Coordinates of all heavy atoms in Angstrom, one line a residue:
G1 N -141.5 148.1 20.4 CA -140.8 148.3 19.2 C -141.7 149.0 18.2 O -142.9 149.2 18.5
Y2 N -141.1 149.4 17.1 CA -141.8 150.3 16.2 C -142.6 149.6 15.0 O -143.7 150.0 14.6 CB -140.8 151.3 15.6 CG -141.5 152.3 14.7 CD1 -142.2 153.4 15.2 CD2 -141.2 152.2 13.3 CE1 -142.8 154.3 14.3 CE2 -141.8 153.1 12.4 CZ -142.6 154.2 12.9 OH -143.2 155.1 12.1
I3 N -141.9 148.6 14.4 CA -142.5 148.1 13.1 C -143.4 146.9 13.4 O -143.2 146.0 14.2 CB -141.3 147.6 12.2 CG1 -140.4 148.7 11.9 CG2 -141.9 147.0 10.9 CD1 -139.2 148.3 11.0
F4 N -144.6 146.9 12.7 CA -145.6 145.9 12.8 C -145.8 145.3 11.4 O -145.7 145.9 10.4 CB -146.9 146.4 13.3 CG -146.8 147.1 14.7 CD1 -146.5 148.4 14.8 CD2 -146.9 146.3 15.8 CE1 -146.4 149.1 16.0 CE2 -146.7 146.9 17.1 CZ -146.5 148.3 17.2
E5 N -146.1 144.0 11.4 CA -146.3 143.3 10.1 C -147.5 143.8 9.4 O -147.5 144.0 8.2 CB -146.4 141.8 10.4 CG -145.2 141.1 10.7 CD -144.2 140.9 9.5 OE1 -144.6 141.1 8.4 OE2 -143.1 140.4 9.8
N6 N -148.6 144.1 10.1 CA -149.8 144.5 9.6 C -150.8 145.0 10.7 O -150.4 144.9 11.9 CB -150.5 143.2 8.9 CG -150.5 142.0 9.7 OD1 -150.9 142.1 10.9 ND2 -150.0 140.9 9.2
P7 N -151.9 145.5 10.3 CA -152.9 146.0 11.3 C -153.3 145.0 12.3 O -153.5 145.3 13.5 CB -154.0 146.5 10.5 CG -153.5 146.9 9.2 CD -152.4 145.8 8.9
E8 N -153.3 143.7 11.9 CA -153.7 142.7 12.9 C -152.7 142.5 14.0 O -153.0 142.3 15.2 CB -153.9 141.3 12.1 CG -155.1 141.3 11.2 CD -155.1 142.2 10.0 OE1 -154.0 142.4 9.5 OE2 -156.1 142.8 9.7
E9 N -151.4 142.6 13.6 CA -150.4 142.5 14.7 C -150.5 143.7 15.6 O -150.3 143.6 16.8 CB -149.0 142.4 14.1 CG -147.9 142.2 15.2 CD -146.5 142.2 14.7 OE1 -146.2 142.7 13.6 OE2 -145.6 141.7 15.4
V10 N -150.7 144.9 15.0 CA -150.9 146.1 15.9 C -152.0 145.9 16.9 O -151.8 146.1 18.1 CB -151.2 147.3 15.0 CG1 -151.4 148.6 15.9 CG2 -150.1 147.6 14.0
K11 N -153.1 145.3 16.5 CA -154.2 145.1 17.4 C -153.9 144.1 18.5 O -154.4 144.2 19.6 CB -155.4 144.6 16.6 CG -156.1 145.7 15.7 CD -157.2 145.1 14.9 CE -157.8 146.1 13.9 NZ -158.9 145.6 13.1
S12 N -153.0 143.2 18.2 CA -152.6 142.2 19.2 C -151.8 142.8 20.3 O -151.8 142.2 21.4 CB -151.8 141.1 18.5 OG -150.5 141.5 18.2
F13 N -151.2 144.0 20.1 CA -150.5 144.7 21.2 C -151.4 145.8 21.8 O -150.9 146.4 22.8 CB -149.2 145.3 20.6 CG -148.2 144.3 20.4 CD1 -147.9 143.9 19.1 CD2 -147.4 143.7 21.4 CE1 -146.9 143.0 18.8 CE2 -146.4 142.8 21.1 CZ -146.2 142.4 19.8
A14 N -152.6 146.0 21.3 CA -153.4 147.2 21.8 C -153.9 146.9 23.2 O -154.2 145.8 23.6 CB -154.5 147.4 20.8
E15 N -153.9 147.9 24.0 CA -154.3 147.8 25.4 C -154.9 149.1 25.9 O -154.7 150.2 25.2 CB -153.1 147.5 26.3 CG -152.0 148.5 26.2 CD -150.8 148.1 27.0 OE1 -150.8 148.3 28.3 OE2 -149.8 147.5 26.5
D16 N -155.7 149.1 26.9 CA -156.3 150.3 27.5 C -155.4 150.7 28.7 O -154.3 150.2 28.9 CB -157.7 150.1 27.8 CG -158.0 149.1 28.9 OD1 -157.1 148.6 29.6 OD2 -159.2 148.6 29.0
F17 N -156.0 151.6 29.5 CA -155.2 152.1 30.7 C -155.2 151.2 31.9 O -154.6 151.5 32.9 CB -155.6 153.5 31.0 CG -155.5 154.5 29.9 CD1 -156.5 154.8 29.1 CD2 -154.2 155.0 29.6 CE1 -156.4 155.7 28.0 CE2 -154.1 155.8 28.5 CZ -155.1 156.2 27.7
T18 N -155.8 150.0 31.7 CA -155.6 149.0 32.8 C -154.6 147.9 32.3 O -154.5 146.9 33.0 CB -157.0 148.3 33.0 OG1 -157.4 147.6 31.9 CG2 -158.0 149.3 33.4
G19 N -154.0 148.1 31.1 CA -153.1 147.1 30.6 C -151.7 147.2 31.1 O -151.4 147.9 32.1
P20 N -150.8 146.3 30.6 CA -149.5 146.1 31.2 C -148.6 147.3 31.1 O -147.8 147.5 32.0 CB -148.9 145.0 30.3 CG -149.7 144.9 29.1 CD -151.1 145.4 29.4
T21 N -148.7 148.2 30.1 CA -147.8 149.3 30.0 C -148.1 150.4 31.1 O -147.2 150.8 31.8 CB -147.9 150.0 28.6 OG1 -147.5 149.0 27.6 CG2 -146.9 151.1 28.5
T22 N -149.4 150.7 31.2 CA -149.7 151.7 32.3 C -149.4 151.1 33.7 O -148.8 151.8 34.5 CB -151.2 152.1 32.2 OG1 -151.4 152.7 30.9 CG2 -151.5 153.0 33.3
A23 N -149.6 149.8 33.8 CA -149.3 149.2 35.1 C -147.8 149.2 35.4 O -147.3 149.5 36.5 CB -149.8 147.7 35.1
F24 N -147.0 149.0 34.3 CA -145.5 149.0 34.5 C -145.0 150.4 34.8 O -144.2 150.7 35.7 CB -144.8 148.6 33.2 CG -143.3 148.8 33.2 CD1 -142.5 148.1 34.0 CD2 -142.8 149.8 32.4 CE1 -141.1 148.3 34.0 CE2 -141.4 150.1 32.4 CZ -140.6 149.3 33.2
L25 N -145.6 151.4 34.1 CA -145.2 152.8 34.4 C -145.6 153.2 35.8 O -144.9 154.0 36.5 CB -145.8 153.7 33.3 CG -145.2 153.6 31.9 CD1 -145.9 154.5 31.0 CD2 -143.7 153.7 31.9
Y26 N -146.7 152.7 36.3 CA -147.1 153.0 37.7 C -146.1 152.5 38.7 O -145.7 153.1 39.6 CB -148.5 152.5 37.9 CG -149.1 152.7 39.3 CD1 -149.0 153.9 39.9 CD2 -149.6 151.6 40.0 CE1 -149.5 154.1 41.2 CE2 -150.1 151.8 41.3 CZ -150.1 153.0 41.9 OH -150.5 153.2 43.1
K27 N -145.7 151.2 38.4 CA -144.7 150.6 39.2 C -143.4 151.4 39.2 O -142.8 151.7 40.3 CB -144.4 149.2 38.7 CG -143.2 148.5 39.3 CD -143.0 147.1 38.6 CE -141.8 146.4 39.2 NZ -141.5 145.1 38.4
M28 N -143.0 151.9 38.0 CA -141.8 152.7 38.0 C -141.9 154.1 38.6 O -141.0 154.7 39.2 CB -141.3 152.9 36.5 CG -140.8 151.6 35.8 SD -139.3 151.0 36.6 CE -140.0 149.8 37.7
A29 N -143.1 154.6 38.5 CA -143.4 155.9 39.1 C -143.2 155.8 40.6 O -142.7 156.7 41.3 CB -144.8 156.4 38.8
K30 N -143.7 154.8 41.2 CA -143.6 154.6 42.7 C -142.2 154.4 43.1 O -141.7 154.8 44.1 CB -144.5 153.4 43.1 CG -146.0 153.7 43.0 CD -146.8 152.7 43.8 CE -146.8 151.3 43.0 NZ -147.7 150.3 43.6
K31 N -141.4 153.7 42.2 CA -140.0 153.4 42.5 C -139.1 154.7 42.4 O -138.2 154.9 43.2 CB -139.4 152.3 41.6 CG -139.8 150.9 42.0 CD -138.9 149.9 41.2 CE -139.1 148.5 41.8 NZ -138.2 147.5 41.1
T32 N -139.4 155.5 41.5 CA -138.6 156.7 41.2 C -139.1 157.9 41.9 O -138.3 158.9 42.0 CB -138.5 156.9 39.7 OG1 -139.8 157.2 39.2 CG2 -137.8 155.7 38.9
G33 N -140.4 157.9 42.2 CA -141.0 159.1 42.7 C -141.4 160.1 41.6 O -141.9 161.2 41.9
A34 N -141.2 159.7 40.4 CA -141.5 160.6 39.3 C -142.8 160.3 38.6 O -143.3 159.2 38.6 CB -140.4 160.4 38.2
T35 N -143.4 161.3 38.0 CA -144.4 161.1 37.0 C -143.7 160.7 35.7 O -142.7 161.3 35.3 CB -145.2 162.4 36.8 OG1 -145.9 162.8 38.0 CG2 -146.2 162.3 35.6
I36 N -144.2 159.7 35.0 CA -143.5 159.1 33.9 C -144.5 159.1 32.7 O -145.6 158.7 32.8 CB -143.0 157.7 34.2 CG1 -142.1 157.7 35.4 CG2 -142.3 157.1 33.0 CD1 -141.5 156.3 35.8
Q37 N -143.9 159.5 31.5 CA -144.6 159.4 30.2 C -144.0 158.3 29.4 O -142.8 158.3 29.2 CB -144.6 160.7 29.5 CG -145.1 160.7 28.1 CD -145.1 162.1 27.5 OE1 -145.6 163.0 28.0 NE2 -144.5 162.2 26.3
G38 N -144.8 157.4 28.8 CA -144.2 156.4 27.9 C -145.2 156.1 26.8 O -146.5 156.1 27.0
G39 N -144.7 155.6 25.6 CA -145.6 155.3 24.5 C -146.1 153.9 24.5 O -145.4 153.0 25.0

């Protein structure tokens, strides 16, 4: 989602490229055969 309460909440969602979002997109890439871009 887009809105955060404050910078502290933003940091609580911060991740690197070993985090859950990249892992999820990798899972979807293998399922669809596509290269996938996501925020």
Side-chain angles (χ1 to χ4, degrees):
Y2 180 75
I3 302 177
F4 301 92
E5 288 285 352
N6 48 50
E8 288 67 36
E9 185 184 19
V10 178
K11 290 178 183 178
S12 74
F13 287 104
E15 55 184 280
D16 62 17
F17 299 101
T18 65
T21 300
T22 299
F24 170 72
L25 293 179
Y26 178 49
K27 174 184 173 183
M28 290 298 96
K30 289 192 291 183
K31 281 193 171 185
T32 61
T35 296
I36 302 182
Q37 171 178 310

